[in-house]
Amino acid sequence: MPRSTVNFGTVRKIGLALPGVEESTAYGSPALKVHGKLLACVPAHRSAEPGSLVVRVDFDDRAELLAADPDVYYVTDHYLGYTAVLVRLSRVTPDVLRDLLGMAHRFVTARRRR
């Protein structure tokens, strides 16, 4: 499979097109937030592989993503307790990333309304 050219610039471009998303930082790393809530970020924890992205999703969606495409999605022990999945940017397409960020946006904004 050819390597993707997706990087955090691609993430930023797609993410900022979603309602209420703004550029920020999380733990000193580039991040996108919705109304101050984390949507996605470059992982700061050393357990994540270089070239990864942390994306907020609920535990059920994470389990489905991990089962469907373990070459793209993964989780380390550090992230097990968080509603998030790690994504290998080199293996994701812009279209898949757009869908994933849309899923994360729905998750984060739904949590805000509770």
Short mmCIF file of all heavy atoms in Angstrom, two decimals, residues 3 42-43 45-53 74 87-90:
data_model
loop_
_atom_site.label_atom_id
_atom_site.label_comp_id
_atom_site.label_asym_id
_atom_site.label_seq_id
_atom_site.Cartn_x
_atom_site.Cartn_y
_atom_site.Cartn_z
N ARG A 3 2.35 4.88 0.78
CA ARG A 3 2.29 5.68 2.00
C ARG A 3 1.46 6.93 1.76
O ARG A 3 1.54 7.55 0.72
CB ARG A 3 3.70 6.06 2.45
CG ARG A 3 4.46 4.85 2.96
CD ARG A 3 5.82 5.19 3.49
NE ARG A 3 5.78 6.04 4.67
CZ ARG A 3 5.59 5.60 5.91
NH1 ARG A 3 5.37 4.33 6.13
NH2 ARG A 3 5.61 6.44 6.93
N VAL A 42 -1.65 15.75 18.40
CA VAL A 42 -0.44 14.96 18.25
C VAL A 42 -0.16 14.37 19.63
O VAL A 42 -0.15 15.09 20.63
CB VAL A 42 0.73 15.86 17.80
CG1 VAL A 42 2.04 15.08 17.81
CG2 VAL A 42 0.44 16.44 16.42
N PRO A 43 0.00 13.05 19.72
CA PRO A 43 0.20 12.44 21.05
C PRO A 43 1.50 12.89 21.70
O PRO A 43 2.55 12.91 21.07
CB PRO A 43 0.20 10.94 20.77
CG PRO A 43 0.42 10.79 19.31
CD PRO A 43 0.02 12.06 18.65
N HIS A 45 2.41 11.45 24.71
CA HIS A 45 2.92 10.32 25.48
C HIS A 45 3.86 9.47 24.63
O HIS A 45 3.57 9.17 23.47
CB HIS A 45 1.76 9.47 26.01
CG HIS A 45 2.17 8.54 27.09
ND1 HIS A 45 2.54 7.24 26.84
CD2 HIS A 45 2.30 8.73 28.42
CE1 HIS A 45 2.88 6.67 27.99
NE2 HIS A 45 2.74 7.55 28.96
N ARG A 46 4.97 9.05 25.22
CA ARG A 46 6.00 8.33 24.46
C ARG A 46 5.56 6.95 23.99
O ARG A 46 6.22 6.35 23.14
CB ARG A 46 7.27 8.22 25.30
CG ARG A 46 7.12 7.36 26.54
CD ARG A 46 8.40 7.36 27.38
NE ARG A 46 8.26 6.53 28.56
CZ ARG A 46 7.69 6.95 29.69
NH1 ARG A 46 7.21 8.15 29.78
NH2 ARG A 46 7.61 6.13 30.72
N SER A 47 4.43 6.43 24.50
CA SER A 47 3.98 5.10 24.07
C SER A 47 3.41 5.13 22.65
O SER A 47 3.32 4.10 22.00
CB SER A 47 2.93 4.55 25.02
OG SER A 47 1.74 5.33 24.97
N ALA A 48 3.03 6.31 22.16
CA ALA A 48 2.47 6.42 20.81
C ALA A 48 3.59 6.37 19.78
O ALA A 48 4.70 6.88 20.00
CB ALA A 48 1.69 7.72 20.67
N GLU A 49 3.30 5.76 18.65
CA GLU A 49 4.27 5.69 17.56
C GLU A 49 4.45 7.08 16.94
O GLU A 49 3.49 7.85 16.88
CB GLU A 49 3.78 4.73 16.47
CG GLU A 49 3.63 3.30 16.94
CD GLU A 49 2.95 2.42 15.90
OE1 GLU A 49 2.83 2.83 14.73
OE2 GLU A 49 2.54 1.31 16.27
N PRO A 50 5.66 7.40 16.47
CA PRO A 50 5.85 8.67 15.76
C PRO A 50 4.91 8.72 14.55
O PRO A 50 4.63 7.71 13.92
CB PRO A 50 7.31 8.62 15.30
CG PRO A 50 7.96 7.62 16.21
CD PRO A 50 6.89 6.64 16.58
N GLY A 51 4.41 9.90 14.23
CA GLY A 51 3.51 10.04 13.08
C GLY A 51 2.09 9.62 13.38
O GLY A 51 1.33 9.31 12.47
N SER A 52 1.72 9.63 14.66
CA SER A 52 0.36 9.25 15.06
C SER A 52 -0.47 10.48 15.41
O SER A 52 0.05 11.58 15.57
CB SER A 52 0.39 8.31 16.27
OG SER A 52 0.98 7.08 15.93
N LEU A 53 -1.76 10.23 15.55
CA LEU A 53 -2.72 11.25 15.96
C LEU A 53 -3.63 10.62 17.00
O LEU A 53 -4.02 9.46 16.86
CB LEU A 53 -3.55 11.68 14.74
CG LEU A 53 -4.61 12.76 14.97
CD1 LEU A 53 -3.94 14.12 15.21
CD2 LEU A 53 -5.54 12.84 13.77
N TYR A 74 -4.80 1.98 16.54
CA TYR A 74 -4.23 1.20 17.65
C TYR A 74 -4.43 1.95 18.94
O TYR A 74 -4.88 3.10 18.96
CB TYR A 74 -2.75 0.88 17.39
CG TYR A 74 -1.81 2.07 17.48
CD1 TYR A 74 -1.00 2.25 18.60
CD2 TYR A 74 -1.72 3.00 16.46
CE1 TYR A 74 -0.13 3.33 18.69
CE2 TYR A 74 -0.86 4.08 16.55
CZ TYR A 74 -0.07 4.24 17.66
OH TYR A 74 0.79 5.31 17.75
N VAL A 87 -4.13 6.91 15.66
CA VAL A 87 -4.23 6.71 14.22
C VAL A 87 -2.84 6.88 13.61
O VAL A 87 -2.17 7.87 13.88
CB VAL A 87 -5.18 7.75 13.59
CG1 VAL A 87 -5.34 7.51 12.09
CG2 VAL A 87 -6.53 7.75 14.29
N ARG A 88 -2.43 5.92 12.80
CA ARG A 88 -1.16 6.03 12.07
C ARG A 88 -1.45 6.88 10.82
O ARG A 88 -2.06 6.39 9.86
CB ARG A 88 -0.65 4.65 11.68
CG ARG A 88 -0.25 3.80 12.88
CD ARG A 88 0.19 2.40 12.45
NE ARG A 88 0.58 1.62 13.60
CZ ARG A 88 -0.22 0.71 14.19
NH1 ARG A 88 -1.44 0.47 13.74
NH2 ARG A 88 0.23 0.03 15.24
N LEU A 89 -0.98 8.12 10.84
CA LEU A 89 -1.30 9.04 9.74
C LEU A 89 -0.74 8.55 8.40
O LEU A 89 -1.32 8.84 7.36
CB LEU A 89 -0.78 10.45 10.06
CG LEU A 89 -1.54 11.18 11.17
CD1 LEU A 89 -0.89 12.53 11.45
CD2 LEU A 89 -3.01 11.35 10.83
N SER A 90 0.33 7.80 8.44
CA SER A 90 0.92 7.30 7.18
C SER A 90 0.03 6.26 6.50
O SER A 90 0.24 5.92 5.35
CB SER A 90 2.30 6.70 7.44
OG SER A 90 2.18 5.54 8.26
#
